[in-house]
Amino acid sequence: MGKITGFMEFQRQEEDHLEPAARLKNYKEFSITLTDAQAKVQGARCMDCGIPFCNTGCPVNNQIPDWNDLVYHGNYRYAVDNLHSTNNFPEFTGRICPAPCEAACTLGINNEPVGIKSIERKIADAGWEHGWIVPQPAAVKTGKKVAIIGSGPAGLAAAQQLGRAGHDVTVFEKNDRVGGLLRYGIPDFKMEKDLIDRRVEQMKAEGVTFRTSTLIGKDFPTTVSNMARDTIFPEDLVKDYDAVIMAGGAEAPRDLPVPGRDLKGVHFAMDFLPQQNRVNAGDKVKDQIKATGKHVIVIGGGDTGSDCVGTSNRHGAASVTQFELMPMPPEQENKPLVWPYWPTKLRTSSSHEEGCERDFAVATKRFEGKGGKVEKIIACRVEWKDGKMTEVANSEFELKADLVLLAMGFVSPVQQVLDAFGVQKDARGNARATTDGDVCYQTSVPKVFTAGDMRRGQSLVVWAIREGRQCARAVDEFLMGSSVLPR
């Protein structure tokens, strides 16, 4: 450990941010990476406790006390190597992961946890700044070919691991750019897309091939099929490759079937957010959904809803209100009850700080408007008893609404892909595959594997990276009989 008494001497150091008035003028990242001195102090706070719960709280099992100590001693070169031994893309997770590792930090029992996420970002940024993150092409090629469907974090992690194992890897992406939901689901002000681009260049130098604007499957809606220039049938993919990994995201949004849902101005969040990302990338988007001068209602209290709030404020919305169906959580969790698990507590994001009214235990009853366009939302208060929701009597109210964004999560991956491959599905519509047994991550169809959201449902970027890495090892074992790739 860096300093034996550091956890008693130093307080948690948060990353600095630009003030809302400054950051609302553009879509650039506004969090400022820790300085060397700040990172040293945070590293000193790590107790190197006997059982580091942070390691198991982290889905990729980052060796957190190890690189905390390395940062405390200023040894960033070894910290970069240590971090990459468990996580292919720490600059992604250092920005957008909710940090379950910090919830599991032993220091967090009676103090503020170590700023693990900010240290991770510091290490990753230092690696790129000093040129330590370079391509690692395989010394020997195996002659085996692997196809990966989806270029989100699960697909990219699997591709990089398998490419470094010597396999010829091709990643297929339906969008025009690589990155999946990293590219078109997360606003640039949370993670700028040049971070993806430089990783793609690294992977290309390692021998990975990317084919964008390519659909795998059939019977897609017109809105999806119009995105791609090529379509490949699954049977051809299985025939031409030695193994296939389905690693797409959970992209089927949860709808809100209430009267007035078909009015103009009511949109899914994932119709709204990707458009702004495309504009930021220099594309021209016809009939872009804009919040400028509008009264915006965001339905859904999670991260996607928060992203809608931040983007609406940058558009110059007249007002932004966010509804959540569940009751308002406590401002402080009951640590003795929940530690080291992820706690339920009120979380105020940077987007909320930029301007937003938040309301809890609210259900939408209907949308109303004129001329086919939404003008207001009719909602009511609800209460929860014994896990059941009931409407509070005489609690109905209405709010002006020029734009309604539905951000209530995702129910499953794209079913057309799973159906085209003919794989068995679980009760939630995900591809069925186990993470233990003789062949992990393999579906009911020979040679076809799955990882990430397509297997486990909507989840975190860090879980996608974990599953992509583990699936890569399973595929390597399947092709070669054994594997030296880490799990």
Side-chain angles (χ1 to χ4, degrees):
M1 59 191 301
K3 187 173 185 180
I4 295 176
T5 57
F7 70 96
M8 296 187 293
E9 296 179 29
F10 305 118
Q11 296 301 310
R12 178 182 172 93
Q13 171 70 56
E14 300 284 355
E15 291 177 328
D16 290 329
H17 300 82
L18 296 180
E19 291 299 319
R23 64 197 195 215
L24 285 175
K25 296 177 181 179
N26 57 61
Y27 294 87
K28 299 293 186 181
E29 289 182 10
F30 52 81
S31 296
I32 302 172
T33 305
L34 297 179
T35 64
D36 290 354
Q38 291 171 333
K40 180 182 177 71
V41 169
Q42 278 306 291
R45 296 186 72 232
C46 179
M47 298 186 292
D48 195 12
C49 46
I51 302 177
F53 289 91
C54 57
N55 285 17
T56 52
C58 171
V60 294
N61 302 129
N62 278 332
Q63 300 167 34
I64 294 165
D66 295 35
W67 42 257
N68 280 343
D69 180 68
L70 289 167
V71 166
Y72 174 76
H73 288 100
N75 197 337
Y76 282 93
R77 182 66 186 88
Y78 284 102
V80 169
D81 291 342
N82 184 294
L83 186 51
H84 279 90
S85 70
T86 56
N87 184 355
N88 294 70
F89 314 118
E91 68 272 32
F92 300 170
T93 50
R95 285 168 166 80
I96 60 176
C97 180
C101 55
E102 294 187 11
C105 176
T106 303
L107 184 57
I109 295 175
N110 63 350
N111 201 330
E112 290 297 312
V114 176
I116 299 169
K117 177 180 174 180
S118 60
I119 296 176
E120 179 180 39
R121 173 176 172 173
K122 171 67 176 178
I123 296 170
D125 287 357
W128 287 104
E129 178 185 349
H130 293 283
W132 297 329
I133 301 175
V134 296
Q136 301 177 37
V140 178
K141 302 292 286 185
T142 66
K144 301 291 186 180
K145 296 170 60 180
V146 181
I148 298 178
I149 303 169
S151 66
L156 291 178
Q160 185 162 67
Q161 294 296 95
L162 288 167
R164 290 175 176 178
H167 305 304
D168 293 319
V169 180
T170 302
V171 179
F172 296 89
E173 169 58 49
K174 70 177 183 299
N175 286 302
D176 56 346
R177 296 180 179 89
V178 172
L181 290 176
L182 287 172
R183 173 77 65 177
Y184 289 125
I186 295 173
D188 289 21
F189 56 79
K190 290 178 67 174
M191 191 184 89
E192 293 181 24
K193 306 314 177 218
D194 60 340
L195 302 179
I196 303 173
D197 296 336
R198 66 186 182 188
R199 279 295 182 183
V200 170
E201 291 306 311
Q202 179 196 32
M203 294 171 67
K204 286 180 179 179
E206 294 171 346
V208 176
T209 300
F210 292 92
R211 290 183 58 179
T212 56
S213 301
T214 304
L215 284 173
I216 309 297
K218 53 188 176 182
D219 301 326
F220 289 99
T222 303
T223 53
V224 176
S225 58
N226 285 344
M227 296 167 52
R229 60 173 178 266
D230 296 318
T231 299
I232 299 176
F233 294 115
E235 53 266 31
D236 295 329
L237 214 60
V238 173
K239 179 183 67 176
D240 295 339
Y241 289 83
D242 299 292
V244 177
I245 299 176
M246 299 188 302
E251 297 183 30
R254 181 173 285 106
D255 207 345
L256 185 60
V258 298
R261 168 64 181 88
D262 58 344
L263 289 171
K264 292 181 180 179
V266 182
H267 303 276
F268 287 120
M270 291 309 297
D271 292 332
F272 173 69
L273 295 173
Q275 290 187 347
Q276 186 58 54
N277 286 8
R278 291 183 180 279
V279 170
N280 294 344
D283 295 349
K284 293 183 178 180
V285 176
K286 184 180 179 180
D287 300 323
Q288 181 187 358
I289 304 168
K290 295 283 286 186
T292 309
K294 296 179 180 179
H295 297 281
V296 180
I297 305 293
V298 178
I299 300 178
D303 289 340
T304 303
S306 172
D307 294 343
C308 289
V309 171
T311 302
S312 296
N313 281 325
R314 281 163 178 75
H315 282 180
S319 68
V320 182
T321 303
Q322 185 178 25
F323 288 155
E324 167 58 54
L325 186 64
M326 300 302 292
M328 181 175 175
E331 292 189 10
Q332 181 62 51
E333 73 272 27
N334 186 336
K335 290 186 179 182
L337 179 66
V338 300
W339 180 89
Y341 301 107
W342 184 249
T344 298
K345 67 176 182 179
L346 182 65
R347 290 179 168 83
T348 300
S349 72
S350 58
S351 292
H352 295 141
E353 294 170 351
E354 293 164 359
C356 173
E357 293 293 328
R358 305 169 72 185
D359 207 346
F360 296 84
V362 173
T364 302
K365 300 190 73 171
R366 63 187 180 276
F367 304 113
E368 295 183 356
K370 294 179 181 178
K373 189 178 186 311
V374 68
E375 291 185 337
K376 60 183 176 181
I377 179 174
I378 311 301
C380 66
R381 305 287 174 187
V382 297
E383 58 184 3
W384 295 81
K385 292 182 180 179
D386 301 324
K388 296 182 179 180
M389 182 187 74
T390 58
E391 180 178 344
V392 176
N394 302 315
S395 66
E396 187 174 295
F397 66 97
E398 65 179 54
L399 282 179
K400 185 174 178 58
D402 305 309
L403 174 63
V404 178
L405 301 171
L406 306 180
M408 302 173 295
F410 302 86
V411 295
S412 70
V414 178
Q415 295 299 295
Q416 286 85 351
V417 177
L418 304 187
D419 292 340
F421 275 97
V423 300
Q424 292 181 2
K425 294 183 278 189
D426 64 18
R428 298 181 299 157
N430 304 316
R432 186 186 299 278
T434 63
T435 57
D436 53 18
D438 294 335
V439 184
C440 301
Y441 293 95
Q442 188 167 11
T443 69
S444 58
V445 177
K447 295 172 56 175
V448 179
F449 294 73
T450 185
D453 286 5
M454 199 161 266
R455 189 199 73 83
R456 65 181 291 119
Q458 179 189 1
S459 191
L460 305 177
V461 168
V462 69
W463 270 109
I465 294 173
R466 172 196 173 108
E467 294 220 345
R469 288 171 61 89
Q470 291 186 342
C471 184
R473 178 183 171 90
V475 170
D476 193 34
E477 289 177 333
F478 170 77
L479 295 175
M480 308 303 294
S482 62
S483 178
V484 296
L485 290 175
R487 282 180 60 85

